[in-house]
mmCIF file of all heavy atoms in Angstrom:
data_model
loop_
_atom_site.group_PDB
_atom_site.id
_atom_site.type_symbol
_atom_site.label_atom_id
_atom_site.label_comp_id
_atom_site.label_asym_id
_atom_site.label_seq_id
_atom_site.Cartn_x
_atom_site.Cartn_y
_atom_site.Cartn_z
ATOM 1 N N LEU A 138 2.905 13.529 -0.636
ATOM 2 C CA LEU A 138 2.534 14.427 -1.742
ATOM 3 C C LEU A 138 2.765 15.893 -1.409
ATOM 4 O O LEU A 138 3.039 16.694 -2.288
ATOM 5 C CB LEU A 138 1.055 14.232 -2.120
ATOM 6 C CG LEU A 138 0.709 13.029 -2.981
ATOM 7 C CD1 LEU A 138 -0.786 12.908 -3.147
ATOM 8 C CD2 LEU A 138 1.373 13.092 -4.339
ATOM 9 N N GLY A 139 2.626 16.233 -0.142
ATOM 10 C CA GLY A 139 2.866 17.611 0.266
ATOM 11 C C GLY A 139 1.759 18.563 -0.143
ATOM 12 O O GLY A 139 0.607 18.169 -0.299
ATOM 13 N N GLU A 140 2.134 19.818 -0.362
ATOM 14 C CA GLU A 140 1.166 20.903 -0.555
ATOM 15 C C GLU A 140 0.617 21.034 -1.975
ATOM 16 O O GLU A 140 -0.357 21.731 -2.203
ATOM 17 C CB GLU A 140 1.822 22.242 -0.166
ATOM 18 C CG GLU A 140 2.306 22.300 1.273
ATOM 19 C CD GLU A 140 1.166 22.198 2.272
ATOM 20 O OE1 GLU A 140 0.182 22.927 2.114
ATOM 21 O OE2 GLU A 140 1.272 21.366 3.192
ATOM 22 N N LYS A 141 1.270 20.415 -2.944
ATOM 23 C CA LYS A 141 0.927 20.676 -4.339
ATOM 24 C C LYS A 141 -0.451 20.150 -4.755
ATOM 25 O O LYS A 141 -1.067 20.664 -5.674
ATOM 26 C CB LYS A 141 1.974 20.058 -5.269
ATOM 27 C CG LYS A 141 3.366 20.612 -5.067
ATOM 28 C CD LYS A 141 4.364 19.811 -5.901
ATOM 29 C CE LYS A 141 5.752 19.916 -5.346
ATOM 30 N NZ LYS A 141 6.136 18.818 -4.474
ATOM 31 N N ILE A 142 -0.880 19.098 -4.072
ATOM 32 C CA ILE A 142 -2.108 18.426 -4.498
ATOM 33 C C ILE A 142 -3.082 18.324 -3.332
ATOM 34 O O ILE A 142 -2.699 17.985 -2.222
ATOM 35 C CB ILE A 142 -1.770 17.023 -5.048
ATOM 36 C CG1 ILE A 142 -1.086 17.207 -6.412
ATOM 37 C CG2 ILE A 142 -3.003 16.157 -5.176
ATOM 38 C CD1 ILE A 142 -0.521 15.982 -7.006
ATOM 39 N N GLU A 143 -4.353 18.641 -3.632
ATOM 40 C CA GLU A 143 -5.396 18.451 -2.629
ATOM 41 C C GLU A 143 -5.915 17.031 -2.792
ATOM 42 O O GLU A 143 -6.518 16.683 -3.801
ATOM 43 C CB GLU A 143 -6.533 19.456 -2.837
ATOM 44 C CG GLU A 143 -7.596 19.333 -1.767
ATOM 45 C CD GLU A 143 -8.775 20.278 -1.987
ATOM 46 O OE1 GLU A 143 -8.645 21.239 -2.760
ATOM 47 O OE2 GLU A 143 -9.834 20.018 -1.373
ATOM 48 N N LEU A 144 -5.624 16.223 -1.795
ATOM 49 C CA LEU A 144 -5.991 14.815 -1.846
ATOM 50 C C LEU A 144 -7.387 14.628 -1.265
ATOM 51 O O LEU A 144 -7.664 15.042 -0.152
ATOM 52 C CB LEU A 144 -4.962 14.010 -1.037
ATOM 53 C CG LEU A 144 -4.818 12.541 -1.360
ATOM 54 C CD1 LEU A 144 -4.490 12.312 -2.826
ATOM 55 C CD2 LEU A 144 -3.731 11.922 -0.498
ATOM 56 N N LEU A 145 -8.258 14.005 -2.035
ATOM 57 C CA LEU A 145 -9.618 13.719 -1.579
ATOM 58 C C LEU A 145 -9.755 12.220 -1.349
ATOM 59 O O LEU A 145 -9.224 11.421 -2.120
ATOM 60 C CB LEU A 145 -10.639 14.165 -2.631
ATOM 61 C CG LEU A 145 -10.603 15.632 -3.060
ATOM 62 C CD1 LEU A 145 -11.557 15.875 -4.228
ATOM 63 C CD2 LEU A 145 -10.956 16.530 -1.900
ATOM 64 N N SER A 146 -10.482 11.856 -0.306
ATOM 65 C CA SER A 146 -10.731 10.439 -0.031
ATOM 66 C C SER A 146 -12.074 10.040 -0.623
ATOM 67 O O SER A 146 -12.825 10.876 -1.114
ATOM 68 C CB SER A 146 -10.753 10.206 1.480
ATOM 69 O OG SER A 146 -11.904 10.843 2.030
ATOM 70 N N LEU A 147 -12.396 8.775 -0.537
ATOM 71 C CA LEU A 147 -13.710 8.307 -0.984
ATOM 72 C C LEU A 147 -14.817 8.995 -0.180
ATOM 73 O O LEU A 147 -15.858 9.356 -0.714
ATOM 74 C CB LEU A 147 -13.816 6.782 -0.844
ATOM 75 C CG LEU A 147 -12.918 5.968 -1.771
ATOM 76 C CD1 LEU A 147 -13.057 4.482 -1.472
ATOM 77 C CD2 LEU A 147 -13.224 6.249 -3.231
ATOM 78 N N LYS A 148 -14.546 9.190 1.102
ATOM 79 C CA LYS A 148 -15.513 9.867 1.978
ATOM 80 C C LYS A 148 -15.765 11.298 1.487
ATOM 81 O O LYS A 148 -16.900 11.768 1.455
ATOM 82 C CB LYS A 148 -14.975 9.869 3.404
ATOM 83 C CG LYS A 148 -15.954 10.326 4.449
ATOM 84 C CD LYS A 148 -15.318 10.203 5.830
ATOM 85 C CE LYS A 148 -16.256 10.728 6.888
ATOM 86 N NZ LYS A 148 -15.629 10.686 8.211
ATOM 87 N N ASP A 149 -14.682 11.988 1.089
ATOM 88 C CA ASP A 149 -14.797 13.365 0.607
ATOM 89 C C ASP A 149 -15.692 13.481 -0.630
ATOM 90 O O ASP A 149 -16.339 14.504 -0.841
ATOM 91 C CB ASP A 149 -13.420 13.953 0.266
ATOM 92 C CG ASP A 149 -12.544 14.136 1.499
ATOM 93 O OD1 ASP A 149 -13.083 14.370 2.600
ATOM 94 O OD2 ASP A 149 -11.312 14.039 1.354
ATOM 95 N N ILE A 150 -15.714 12.447 -1.464
ATOM 96 C CA ILE A 150 -16.559 12.496 -2.668
ATOM 97 C C ILE A 150 -17.883 11.734 -2.458
ATOM 98 O O ILE A 150 -18.622 11.482 -3.393
ATOM 99 C CB ILE A 150 -15.826 11.980 -3.932
ATOM 100 C CG1 ILE A 150 -15.425 10.502 -3.790
ATOM 101 C CG2 ILE A 150 -14.611 12.839 -4.248
ATOM 102 C CD1 ILE A 150 -14.995 9.837 -5.080
ATOM 103 N N GLU A 151 -18.103 11.363 -1.185
ATOM 104 C CA GLU A 151 -19.322 10.656 -0.782
ATOM 105 C C GLU A 151 -19.520 9.336 -1.523
ATOM 106 O O GLU A 151 -20.627 8.979 -1.913
ATOM 107 C CB GLU A 151 -20.545 11.571 -0.932
ATOM 108 C CG GLU A 151 -20.454 12.774 -0.001
ATOM 109 C CD GLU A 151 -21.586 13.773 -0.164
ATOM 110 O OE1 GLU A 151 -22.567 13.473 -0.880
ATOM 111 O OE2 GLU A 151 -21.476 14.858 0.435
ATOM 112 N N CYS A 152 -18.428 8.634 -1.699
ATOM 113 C CA CYS A 152 -18.483 7.298 -2.294
ATOM 114 C C CYS A 152 -18.501 6.294 -1.151
ATOM 115 O O CYS A 152 -17.539 6.178 -0.397
ATOM 116 C CB CYS A 152 -17.267 7.042 -3.182
ATOM 117 S SG CYS A 152 -17.182 5.335 -3.780
ATOM 118 N N GLU A 153 -19.621 5.616 -1.024
ATOM 119 C CA GLU A 153 -19.750 4.629 0.056
ATOM 120 C C GLU A 153 -19.765 3.203 -0.480
ATOM 121 O O GLU A 153 -20.000 2.263 0.256
ATOM 122 C CB GLU A 153 -21.011 4.928 0.862
ATOM 123 C CG GLU A 153 -20.981 6.357 1.366
ATOM 124 C CD GLU A 153 -21.797 6.586 2.607
ATOM 125 O OE1 GLU A 153 -22.429 5.641 3.102
ATOM 126 O OE2 GLU A 153 -21.778 7.735 3.074
ATOM 127 N N ALA A 154 -19.532 3.063 -1.770
ATOM 128 C CA ALA A 154 -19.569 1.747 -2.406
ATOM 129 C C ALA A 154 -18.432 0.879 -1.900
ATOM 130 O O ALA A 154 -17.368 1.386 -1.533
ATOM 131 C CB ALA A 154 -19.462 1.906 -3.912
ATOM 132 N N ASP A 155 -18.676 -0.400 -1.877
ATOM 133 C CA ASP A 155 -17.622 -1.353 -1.579
ATOM 134 C C ASP A 155 -17.006 -1.704 -2.930
ATOM 135 O O ASP A 155 -17.511 -2.557 -3.652
ATOM 136 C CB ASP A 155 -18.216 -2.586 -0.891
ATOM 137 C CG ASP A 155 -17.140 -3.490 -0.324
ATOM 138 O OD1 ASP A 155 -15.962 -3.073 -0.291
ATOM 139 O OD2 ASP A 155 -17.481 -4.621 0.067
ATOM 140 N N ILE A 156 -15.968 -0.984 -3.304
ATOM 141 C CA ILE A 156 -15.379 -1.138 -4.634
ATOM 142 C C ILE A 156 -14.730 -2.508 -4.746
ATOM 143 O O ILE A 156 -13.939 -2.898 -3.884
ATOM 144 C CB ILE A 156 -14.345 -0.024 -4.915
ATOM 145 C CG1 ILE A 156 -15.010 1.347 -4.778
ATOM 146 C CG2 ILE A 156 -13.740 -0.190 -6.301
ATOM 147 C CD1 ILE A 156 -14.049 2.514 -4.819
ATOM 148 N N PRO A 157 -15.081 -3.251 -5.789
ATOM 149 C CA PRO A 157 -14.539 -4.606 -5.917
ATOM 150 C C PRO A 157 -13.031 -4.629 -6.118
ATOM 151 O O PRO A 157 -12.460 -3.742 -6.744
ATOM 152 C CB PRO A 157 -15.255 -5.173 -7.155
ATOM 153 C CG PRO A 157 -15.767 -4.000 -7.899
ATOM 154 C CD PRO A 157 -15.959 -2.898 -6.901
ATOM 155 N N GLU A 158 -12.420 -5.645 -5.525
ATOM 156 C CA GLU A 158 -10.996 -5.934 -5.731
ATOM 157 C C GLU A 158 -10.923 -7.419 -6.031
ATOM 158 O O GLU A 158 -10.617 -8.215 -5.164
ATOM 159 C CB GLU A 158 -10.188 -5.631 -4.468
ATOM 160 C CG GLU A 158 -10.020 -4.176 -4.147
ATOM 161 C CD GLU A 158 -9.151 -3.966 -2.916
ATOM 162 O OE1 GLU A 158 -7.945 -4.270 -2.977
ATOM 163 O OE2 GLU A 158 -9.693 -3.515 -1.895
ATOM 164 N N THR A 159 -11.232 -7.769 -7.268
ATOM 165 C CA THR A 159 -11.335 -9.189 -7.615
ATOM 166 C C THR A 159 -10.247 -9.650 -8.578
ATOM 167 O O THR A 159 -10.283 -10.775 -9.059
ATOM 168 C CB THR A 159 -12.720 -9.485 -8.225
ATOM 169 O OG1 THR A 159 -12.936 -8.596 -9.337
ATOM 170 C CG2 THR A 159 -13.831 -9.276 -7.208
ATOM 171 N N ALA A 160 -9.300 -8.773 -8.873
ATOM 172 C CA ALA A 160 -8.213 -9.147 -9.783
ATOM 173 C C ALA A 160 -7.234 -10.078 -9.073
ATOM 174 O O ALA A 160 -7.242 -10.181 -7.846
ATOM 175 C CB ALA A 160 -7.500 -7.892 -10.278
ATOM 176 N N ASP A 161 -6.381 -10.732 -9.857
ATOM 177 C CA ASP A 161 -5.417 -11.645 -9.239
ATOM 178 C C ASP A 161 -4.011 -11.066 -9.156
ATOM 179 O O ASP A 161 -3.045 -11.775 -8.905
ATOM 180 C CB ASP A 161 -5.420 -13.006 -9.950
ATOM 181 C CG ASP A 161 -5.148 -12.879 -11.440
ATOM 182 O OD1 ASP A 161 -4.863 -11.758 -11.917
ATOM 183 O OD2 ASP A 161 -5.220 -13.915 -12.135
ATOM 184 N N THR A 162 -3.915 -9.739 -9.354
ATOM 185 C CA THR A 162 -2.635 -9.048 -9.185
ATOM 186 C C THR A 162 -2.875 -7.730 -8.451
ATOM 187 O O THR A 162 -4.001 -7.209 -8.450
ATOM 188 C CB THR A 162 -1.970 -8.713 -10.539
ATOM 189 O OG1 THR A 162 -2.810 -7.801 -11.248
ATOM 190 C CG2 THR A 162 -1.711 -9.957 -11.373
ATOM 191 N N LEU A 163 -1.818 -7.189 -7.871
ATOM 192 C CA LEU A 163 -1.905 -5.886 -7.211
ATOM 193 C C LEU A 163 -2.271 -4.816 -8.245
ATOM 194 O O LEU A 163 -3.117 -3.955 -8.003
ATOM 195 C CB LEU A 163 -0.574 -5.525 -6.545
ATOM 196 C CG LEU A 163 -0.100 -6.442 -5.413
ATOM 197 C CD1 LEU A 163 1.305 -6.054 -4.967
ATOM 198 C CD2 LEU A 163 -1.065 -6.414 -4.242
ATOM 199 N N GLU A 164 -1.623 -4.876 -9.421
ATOM 200 C CA GLU A 164 -1.891 -3.906 -10.493
ATOM 201 C C GLU A 164 -3.351 -3.966 -10.919
ATOM 202 O O GLU A 164 -3.992 -2.940 -11.149
ATOM 203 C CB GLU A 164 -0.988 -4.175 -11.712
ATOM 204 C CG GLU A 164 0.488 -3.939 -11.467
ATOM 205 C CD GLU A 164 1.217 -5.077 -10.739
ATOM 206 O OE1 GLU A 164 0.604 -6.131 -10.433
ATOM 207 O OE2 GLU A 164 2.406 -4.898 -10.443
ATOM 208 N N GLY A 165 -3.879 -5.180 -11.029
ATOM 209 C CA GLY A 165 -5.273 -5.374 -11.434
ATOM 210 C C GLY A 165 -6.244 -4.779 -10.433
ATOM 211 O O GLY A 165 -7.217 -4.111 -10.810
ATOM 212 N N ASN A 166 -5.981 -4.995 -9.146
ATOM 213 C CA ASN A 166 -6.858 -4.440 -8.108
ATOM 214 C C ASN A 166 -6.806 -2.914 -8.082
ATOM 215 O O ASN A 166 -7.837 -2.249 -7.953
ATOM 216 C CB ASN A 166 -6.490 -4.995 -6.726
ATOM 217 C CG ASN A 166 -7.025 -6.403 -6.511
ATOM 218 O OD1 ASN A 166 -8.004 -6.813 -7.122
ATOM 219 N ND2 ASN A 166 -6.370 -7.138 -5.644
ATOM 220 N N ALA A 167 -5.602 -2.352 -8.206
ATOM 221 C CA ALA A 167 -5.462 -0.890 -8.212
ATOM 222 C C ALA A 167 -6.208 -0.296 -9.406
ATOM 223 O O ALA A 167 -6.921 0.703 -9.279
ATOM 224 C CB ALA A 167 -3.984 -0.505 -8.253
ATOM 225 N N THR A 168 -6.073 -0.937 -10.561
ATOM 226 C CA THR A 168 -6.739 -0.465 -11.775
ATOM 227 C C THR A 168 -8.255 -0.552 -11.628
ATOM 228 O O THR A 168 -8.976 0.388 -11.993
ATOM 229 C CB THR A 168 -6.259 -1.282 -12.996
ATOM 230 O OG1 THR A 168 -4.840 -1.095 -13.130
ATOM 231 C CG2 THR A 168 -6.952 -0.835 -14.272
ATOM 232 N N GLN A 169 -8.720 -1.650 -11.071
ATOM 233 C CA GLN A 169 -10.161 -1.846 -10.868
ATOM 234 C C GLN A 169 -10.760 -0.718 -10.022
ATOM 235 O O GLN A 169 -11.806 -0.163 -10.354
ATOM 236 C CB GLN A 169 -10.360 -3.191 -10.152
ATOM 237 C CG GLN A 169 -11.573 -3.942 -10.560
ATOM 238 C CD GLN A 169 -11.593 -5.347 -9.946
ATOM 239 O OE1 GLN A 169 -10.885 -5.663 -8.991
ATOM 240 N NE2 GLN A 169 -12.422 -6.188 -10.505
ATOM 241 N N LYS A 170 -10.075 -0.373 -8.942
ATOM 242 C CA LYS A 170 -10.574 0.679 -8.042
ATOM 243 C C LYS A 170 -10.551 2.048 -8.724
ATOM 244 O O LYS A 170 -11.511 2.809 -8.633
ATOM 245 C CB LYS A 170 -9.742 0.714 -6.744
ATOM 246 C CG LYS A 170 -9.979 -0.495 -5.852
ATOM 247 C CD LYS A 170 -9.284 -0.358 -4.513
ATOM 248 C CE LYS A 170 -7.825 -0.729 -4.566
ATOM 249 N NZ LYS A 170 -7.189 -0.774 -3.242
#
Side-chain angles (χ1 to χ4, degrees):
L138 281 174
E140 301 296 311
K141 299 173 203 96
I142 288 172
E143 183 183 343
L144 203 56
L145 303 173
S146 68
L147 293 177
K148 190 177 177 183
D149 293 330
I150 62 167
E151 296 176 9
C152 173
E153 305 205 359
D155 191 10
I156 303 171
E158 288 183 67
T159 55
D161 56 5
T162 64
L163 297 173
E164 294 80 3
N166 282 335
T168 299
Q169 216 172 17
K170 290 187 278 188

